[in-house]
Amino acid sequence: MIALLIAYFLIIATIGVADKIYLSFLNAPIMAIGLYLIIRSVYKAQPQNFKYMDGFLSGLASGFLISVIFTVFMAIYLFEINPNLVQEMSASIPLASGTDEVGLLLFIFLSGVSTAIVSSLLIIPIFKQSWNTRGIRSSQKPLNQNS
């Protein structure tokens, strides 16, 4: 996932449209496909015991890690390789005065984390088994019966 995200950014930077913030929306499908593959691998490990929280935590942890790595890459690229892009991107994103660098990196990081959260929540129902508890309820004693 990280290689695809970095490659996509480098392609749009080479073309000269990296300052167009709306192009970052294409990061979401890249991350969603990667998270789908990760959640699917967690599901395949234990398909009968797959829990909603297992899928969510694997998607969230992976998305958080990818967001951190991509933010570090962007920090190096923006402040060491192409510092002019910071001013171009800051013009596109309304941030508080004086916090352009930190605000821009925070925007990149939070965009990645929020995409991971939403993608994970959308992907998990594909693998989650029914919550129909008829089998469990038949073996339990109802609360309204006296013993």
Side-chain angles (χ1 to χ4, degrees), residues 3-57:
L4 288 175
L5 289 171
I6 290 172
Y8 170 66
F9 176 77
L10 291 175
I11 288 169
I12 64 171
T14 302
I15 295 171
V17 293
D19 61 325
K20 309 294 186 223
I21 297 301
Y22 60 84
L23 290 176
S24 69
F25 287 113
L26 292 176
N27 290 348
I30 294 170
M31 187 170 280
I33 291 168
L35 290 176
Y36 171 83
L37 296 173
I38 289 168
I39 293 171
R40 184 181 71 177
S41 70
V42 170
Y43 172 77
K44 283 185 174 183
Q46 295 180 342
Q48 298 302 325
N49 297 326
F50 181 76
K51 293 184 176 47
Y52 191 89
M53 197 53 109
D54 294 339
F56 180 70
L57 289 178

Side-chain angles (χ1 to χ4, degrees), residues 3-4 10 14 24 26 33 43 63 66 70 75-76 87 89 95 101 107 112 131 147:
L4 288 175
L10 291 175
T14 302
S24 69
L26 292 176
I33 291 168
Y43 172 77
I66 294 301
F70 188 70
I76 293 169
Q87 281 72 33
M89 291 178 84
L95 298 171
E101 293 84 11
F107 176 79
W131 279 56
S147 45

Side-chain angles (χ1 to χ4, degrees), residues 50-107:
F50 181 76
K51 293 184 176 47
Y52 191 89
M53 197 53 109
D54 294 339
F56 180 70
L57 289 178
S58 64
L60 184 62
S62 301
F64 183 82
L65 181 63
I66 294 301
S67 297
V68 167
I69 294 170
F70 188 70
T71 303
V72 169
F73 164 76
M74 289 299 292
I76 293 169
Y77 184 85
L78 291 174
F79 303 120
E80 300 297 327
I81 298 172
N82 191 0
N84 295 332
L85 187 57
V86 174
Q87 281 72 33
E88 295 172 16
M89 291 178 84
S90 295
S92 301
I93 305 171
L95 298 171
S97 177
T99 60
D100 289 344
E101 293 84 11
V102 173
L104 187 59
L105 292 177
L106 187 62
F107 176 79

